Amino acid sequence: CVITSFNCWTMVRWKRNYASDRRDVSYADLGEIAYGPRFRAYVLCCVCITQLCVCTVFFSFIGENIAAVMKAGGVPFLDDHRVVISMVLPLAMLLSCAPNLRVLAPATACGMVLLLLAFGCIGIIIGRNWDTRDHTDLP
């Protein structure tokens, strides 16, 4: 992971120095410039695999977190993370069909508002329960 991150940073640095006039240069383009057309295919494959791995972990976190909340709330149907992931996946696939990032702007803004509201709710809950917290497990 560290080597991959360093190599990605090296490619970004190279792009800034040598291809700053072209905004549409991708990692695959840089790989082809550096090592030829076969390396372009290799870079494309590596980028796709990395993105797929990150998305898989992300969906797993979504499923586990929503299932934990539903289990605590007493919703028996959604207390299994596999069911939650199965329900979230079509929505994510629908978002991936967007033709450009401008289409995703409303969903991103809505997500940011919900995230800030969640942080606010967590802060309020912590503030209300601060005096009643358990001190027995503190060092």
Side-chain angles (χ1 to χ4, degrees):
C1 182
V2 173
I3 293 171
T4 304
S5 298
F6 177 75
N7 287 337
C8 288
W9 171 243
T10 304
M11 295 302 270
V12 168
R13 235 182 3 187
W14 186 89
K15 180 181 174 183
R16 286 181 185 164
N17 291 336
Y18 298 107
S20 60
D21 57 334
R22 292 188 56 201
R23 301 289 292 165
D24 60 341
V25 177
S26 66
Y27 287 121
D29 295 334
L30 293 176
E32 184 176 13
I33 290 168
Y35 296 107
R38 288 183 63 200
F39 198 71
R40 175 186 181 82
Y42 175 74
V43 170
L44 280 172
C45 183
C46 288
V47 167
C48 288
I49 289 171
T50 301
Q51 289 175 344
L52 183 62
C53 292
V54 168
C55 289
T56 301
V57 170
F58 180 69
F59 282 122
S60 177
F61 286 156
I62 288 174
E64 289 291 334
N65 290 336
I66 292 176
V69 169
M70 294 300 159
K71 185 179 279 187
V75 181
F77 177 69
L78 293 176
D79 63 351
D80 186 9
H81 70 279
R82 293 171 293 194
V83 173
V84 174
I85 291 172
S86 298
M87 293 176 71
V88 170
L89 187 60
L91 296 172
M93 290 174 64
L94 183 66
L95 286 175
S96 69
C97 294
N100 58 36
L101 292 178
R102 287 191 182 138
V103 176
L104 295 177
T108 303
C110 180
M112 182 59 70
V113 168
L114 291 173
L115 180 68
L116 293 175
L117 285 172
F119 284 147
C121 289
I122 290 171
I124 290 169
I125 292 169
I126 290 172
R128 287 186 177 177
N129 295 314
W130 188 259
D131 294 331
T132 61
R133 68 187 189 278
D134 186 18
H135 296 287
T136 58
D137 59 348
L138 294 176

